[in-house]
Amino acid sequence: KKKKKEGGGGLEPKGPVLHIVVVGFHHKRGCQVEFSYPPLIPAEGHDSNNLPEKWKYLPFLALPDGAHNYQEDTVYFHLPSLNEEMKCVYGVSCYRQIEAKALKVRQADVTRETVQKSVCVLSRVPLYGLIQAKLQLITHAYFEEKDFSQISILKELYDHMNGSLRGTTLEGSQVYLGKSLFLTLSFTYTKVLILFKLVLLEKKVLFYVSPVNRLVGTLMTVLSLFPGMIEHGLADSSHYHCKSSISETPESLDPARISPSAGELNPKTDSKTDIIDATDRESSAFDHSDNHTSVADQSQPSASPQDRLQPHPPSHTSPDSSESDWETLDPSVLEAGEGSEGSVKHLEAESGEPITVQPKSVTGQGQLTQGLVSGLEEDQYGLPLAIFTKGYLCLPYMALQQHHLLSDVRVRGFVAGATNILFRQQRHLSDAVIDVEEARIHVDDPELRRMLSLSTADLRFSDFLLKHVTENREDVFLDGTGWEGGDEWIRAQFALYLHSLLASTLQQDNEKLLADYSSAFISAWKITHNYRVWFSNKHPAMAEITPGHPFQGQYSVADVKLRLSHSVQNSERGKKLGNAVITTSRSVVQTGKAVGQSVGGALTSAKSAMSSWFSTLAQPAVTSPAPDSTASKQ
């Protein structure tokens, strides 16, 4: 059997690297491909500027928008495959610019003061950090030649990378190289957990920041929290010419195979829930403008495993958030479904720490098998989840020329990154806009904010992560060398969180177990494509996972403090209040300094005068020979 050709070069692939590409900026034609090895189009040479139709955005991805503002930068991007296998092509590009006068050989088309080029690797494996580390060295050497016609180093790069990466397995530290959770993420862990849930809900999520290196690093680091996602979950993440409609309906899959487990009820809410819903929405650090329609929750009678999953309008419509709703920060009112009748009957004496079940790392995923429905390589737990399939895209960097994808009917959703301000301004095309620089999550839909509100168990989980990470970062010499609080440890906690969440959905009469994850979130997640695909298959290894939230437990006074702290720190009114307190504190300090200087100056003068007076009294009299005595001696 002949192997199918993966890239556009027409050559039999020797290894994981498909092409080495050089992209430059032409003063008339803009971004263009200047060199490719092997050729991107078989019938043309290495120096051809032509591109396959599916890769027409390659120059704009490899040489990002606004690159002239930075001396160097790194870009991760995804391209669709050129064959019918629908495997994603992973691109890593290193950009640099050099002054034209420094070139030894200046070509005729160089008319600007600076020359901007990117060296790009197109690969079949998502080893972003490993490829970046090698590519940065070669790019530096290529620019140091100061003669861009010297392409032998690029051909050597192709052979070297195919030789060194040929036997590399997609597991371990090599996959996560360059994705340091502590250094990359500027978000608090409560917001990281919100991002985690946003991706599970398959929403349209847009990350925004400059430069591109920080953008793609943050986005891919968030995805690395999903078990197996980087290694095996992105194979279909760049293919959006799907046959299915824009919205995945329950009828699109076999209802006899994909159905809800028994007890997937959305608990009815009461007046207390109305208040706390508005409070939780504001306490999730969201900006709001209620101009979106609500997302339908799942609300149906208890069904057997063979019943059809039918989405219905929400049984409780979230009220429009208002200032008065936010101000209801009554510690005696906790989120709905977490305690008996939503009250605080389980408040205990203050113990300092909430009662929790401490999570442990989950190791040994076992052999991977091909998923029958997802088409992805899955472990024995059914992970990675089939999130980036059926038109749900992962675009670490999105060029301005790809802007139409935000509103394309063939795109079911996306997790994308952008640096152009136009993406941020058109917030109506995304469900959530993540401002990495300000560490803010902008969500306009009030119903989605309700789904993303964190439960008390979630806040315990976030607080647990924060304490262990900060405690283990105090020693700069041992930073990153230990297990607890390190990157692998953090990923293990999120893996346990997801395993426990999946195991809880399989239990009969699981309303109380799932309430710890937020009932609104669970109702929305169970009608997503990734959950229905996971639920359609049996995963015997899930029997080893203990159902229930890893931090389930009775309420304590510490939980009330945690909820209040989270609300005040993350809500809009809380931020204003905090800023006012800080401003007032500064004013008091400055006033105190001014008063201290005036009063202190007088006291200092008085003290110096008293000291000089006492020192005068304490000094013995200076004796000198009297003139008479001298005369008498004479």
Side-chain angles (χ1 to χ4, degrees):
K1 296 182 179 179
K2 296 182 180 180
K3 293 183 179 179
K4 297 180 180 179
K5 299 175 183 179
E6 182 71 29
L11 299 178
E12 200 71 22
K14 298 179 181 179
V17 175
L18 301 175
H19 300 278
I20 304 294
V21 180
V22 176
V23 175
F25 183 82
H26 193 273
H27 65 284
K28 291 183 179 180
R29 296 189 291 267
C31 298
Q32 64 178 9
V33 172
E34 299 178 346
F35 170 82
S36 60
Y37 180 80
L40 295 177
I41 298 180
E44 302 185 9
H46 299 296
D47 57 349
S48 174
N49 304 130
N50 297 326
L51 291 167
E53 178 62 24
K54 290 185 178 181
W55 289 0
K56 61 183 179 181
Y57 300 120
L58 171 59
F60 310 104
L61 295 171
L63 197 61
D65 183 36
H68 60 279
N69 295 321
Y70 302 95
Q71 193 65 27
E72 56 184 334
D73 205 352
T74 303
V75 188
Y76 301 162
F77 58 90
H78 293 166
L79 292 173
S81 177
L82 298 181
N83 60 34
E84 65 277 6
E85 290 184 357
M86 295 192 305
K87 297 296 182 182
C88 180
V89 176
Y90 308 95
V92 179
S93 174
C94 286
Y95 156 82
R96 290 196 68 180
Q97 63 177 336
I98 187 175
E99 292 185 356
K101 62 182 181 180
L103 295 175
K104 295 179 180 178
V105 178
R106 183 165 179 169
Q107 300 175 353
D109 58 351
V110 178
T111 60
R112 300 182 131 198
E113 295 181 357
T114 59
V115 179
Q116 303 165 358
K117 292 184 186 293
S118 288
V119 181
C120 175
V121 172
L122 302 182
S123 171
R124 294 186 296 163
V125 292
L127 296 173
Y128 306 95
L130 189 60
I131 293 176
Q132 175 186 346
K134 297 176 179 291
L135 184 57
Q136 283 178 334
L137 296 176
I138 298 300
T139 304
H140 178 76
Y142 181 56
F143 272 75
E144 286 298 313
E145 291 284 341
K146 296 181 175 60
D147 182 6
F148 295 117
S149 63
Q150 301 296 325
I151 59 175
S152 59
I153 189 174
L154 302 178
K155 296 181 179 180
E156 293 174 1
L157 172 64
Y158 175 81
D159 296 330
H160 168 72
M161 297 194 77
N162 273 322
S164 60
L165 300 179
R166 186 184 303 274
T168 305
T169 56
L170 292 178
E171 58 184 25
S173 59
Q174 290 184 334
V175 175
Y176 302 119
L177 183 63
K179 300 176 181 64
S180 173
L181 290 164
F182 182 80
L183 297 178
T184 304
L185 292 180
S186 59
F187 299 91
T188 61
Y189 285 98
T190 54
K191 295 181 182 178
V192 173
L193 185 55
I194 292 173
L195 294 177
F196 190 82
K197 288 189 171 185
L198 262 174
V199 178
L200 283 177
L201 293 177
E202 298 177 351
K203 297 300 180 181
K204 296 180 178 180
V205 183
L206 180 69
F207 287 76
Y208 175 82
V209 76
S210 292
V212 182
N213 186 29
R214 184 180 179 187
L215 172 72
V216 298
T218 302
L219 189 149
M220 298 308 296
T221 300
V222 171
L223 295 186
S224 70
L225 298 175
F226 292 83
M229 184 61 71
I230 302 293
E231 301 94 315
H232 309 288
L234 302 177
D236 199 19
S237 63
S238 61
H239 183 82
Y240 60 90
H241 294 283
C242 53
K243 296 180 180 180
S244 59
S245 61
I246 183 174
S247 60
E248 289 291 329
T249 59
E251 289 78 13
S252 62
L253 296 174
D254 187 0
R257 299 179 60 193
I258 303 177
S259 57
S261 58
E264 293 181 2
L265 288 177
N266 193 13
K268 295 183 178 180
T269 55
D270 51 17
S271 58
K272 282 187 176 181
T273 309
D274 296 344
I275 298 175
I276 200 62
D277 281 345
T279 304
D280 282 344
R281 289 199 311 275
E282 292 292 339
S283 67
S284 299
F286 300 143
D287 291 344
H288 56 281
S289 58
D290 303 335
N291 55 357
H292 282 247
T293 56
S294 298
V295 179
D297 285 348
Q298 178 188 10
S299 175
Q300 66 177 36
S302 179
S304 65
Q306 299 300 325
D307 291 338
R308 182 190 298 263
L309 176 60
Q310 295 285 357
H312 293 278
S315 58
H316 163 66
T317 302
S318 173
D320 293 341
S321 58
S322 62
E323 297 292 335
S324 59
D325 288 335
W326 183 91
E327 291 173 348
T328 310
L329 285 177
D330 185 0
S332 65
V333 182
L334 296 176
E335 62 277 358
E338 292 191 4
S340 58
E341 300 179 1
S343 61
V344 226
K345 294 181 179 179
H346 300 293
L347 277 177
E348 301 175 349
E350 182 173 357
S351 59
E353 293 293 335
I355 300 176
T356 60
V357 178
Q358 300 298 339
K360 299 179 181 179
S361 64
V362 181
T363 57
Q365 293 183 346
Q367 188 175 2
L368 298 175
T369 57
Q370 193 77 10
L372 297 177
V373 180
S374 67
L376 305 175
E377 293 186 9
E378 301 175 352
D379 63 10
Q380 56 185 341
Y381 303 103
L383 302 178
L385 294 174
I387 296 176
F388 296 101
T389 58
K390 295 292 184 181
Y392 191 79
L393 306 183
C394 175
L395 303 173
Y397 173 69
M398 178 182 287
L400 184 60
Q401 290 76 7
Q402 295 177 298
H403 183 270
H404 66 279
L405 294 178
L406 299 183
S407 56
D408 197 322
V409 294
R410 296 168 296 182
V411 175
R412 188 166 55 91
F414 52 81
V415 176
T419 58
N420 196 295
I421 190 65
L422 294 178
F423 287 93
R424 182 183 180 182
Q425 291 175 346
Q426 297 186 342
R427 285 168 49 178
H428 63 281
L429 298 178
S430 305
D431 295 319
V433 177
I434 317 302
D435 192 325
V436 179
E437 183 67 31
E438 299 180 2
R440 293 173 63 90
I441 304 175
H442 302 274
V443 174
D444 292 333
D445 186 3
E447 191 67 18
L448 179 57
R449 291 201 303 272
R450 187 172 72 91
M451 297 173 189
L452 297 174
S453 62
L454 299 183
S455 64
T456 294
D458 286 339
L459 292 178
R460 292 172 184 167
F461 174 68
S462 302
D463 187 60
F464 173 78
L465 293 177
L466 178 63
K467 288 182 178 179
H468 281 71
V469 170
T470 53
E471 287 176 0
N472 289 274
R473 298 285 176 174
E474 294 178 356
D475 194 334
V476 295
F477 297 101
L478 300 178
D479 185 14
T481 60
W483 156 254
E484 188 169 343
D487 292 337
E488 293 184 11
W489 180 87
I490 296 174
R491 292 188 181 97
Q493 308 313 307
F494 276 91
L496 178 61
Y497 182 93
L498 185 57
H499 287 161
S500 302
L501 172 61
L502 292 169
S504 300
T505 63
L506 299 177
Q507 302 300 310
Q508 301 290 331
D509 300 327
N510 54 9
E511 291 89 346
K512 292 184 179 180
L513 292 177
L514 296 179
D516 284 328
Y517 294 95
S518 174
S519 300
F521 165 75
I522 293 296
S523 299
W525 180 49
K526 284 186 176 180
I527 60 176
T528 60
H529 175 75
N530 71 82
Y531 176 78
R532 296 201 315 273
V533 169
W534 180 86
F535 189 79
S536 66
N537 291 327
K538 294 182 179 180
H539 310 286
M542 292 302 299
E544 305 172 2
I545 305 297
T546 303
H549 201 291
F551 283 80
Q552 62 183 344
Q554 294 181 340
Y555 299 120
S556 68
V557 175
D559 292 329
V560 178
K561 292 182 178 180
L562 194 60
R563 169 66 61 183
L564 287 174
S565 174
H566 172 68
S567 301
V568 172
Q569 290 177 5
N570 293 319
S571 65
E572 285 301 309
R573 180 62 64 85
K575 289 180 179 179
K576 293 178 181 178
L577 180 61
N579 293 333
V581 171
I582 294 175
T583 304
T584 304
S585 300
R586 289 176 179 172
S587 301
V588 171
V589 171
Q590 292 175 357
T591 304
K593 287 182 178 180
V595 173
Q597 288 176 356
S598 59
V599 176
L603 290 176
T604 303
S605 301
K607 287 172 64 177
S608 60
M610 293 294 293
S611 299
S612 60
W613 183 66
F614 276 112
S615 61
T616 303
L617 293 178
Q619 288 179 354
V622 179
T623 58
S624 58
D628 296 339
S629 61
T630 306
S632 62
K633 287 182 180 179
Q634 293 177 351

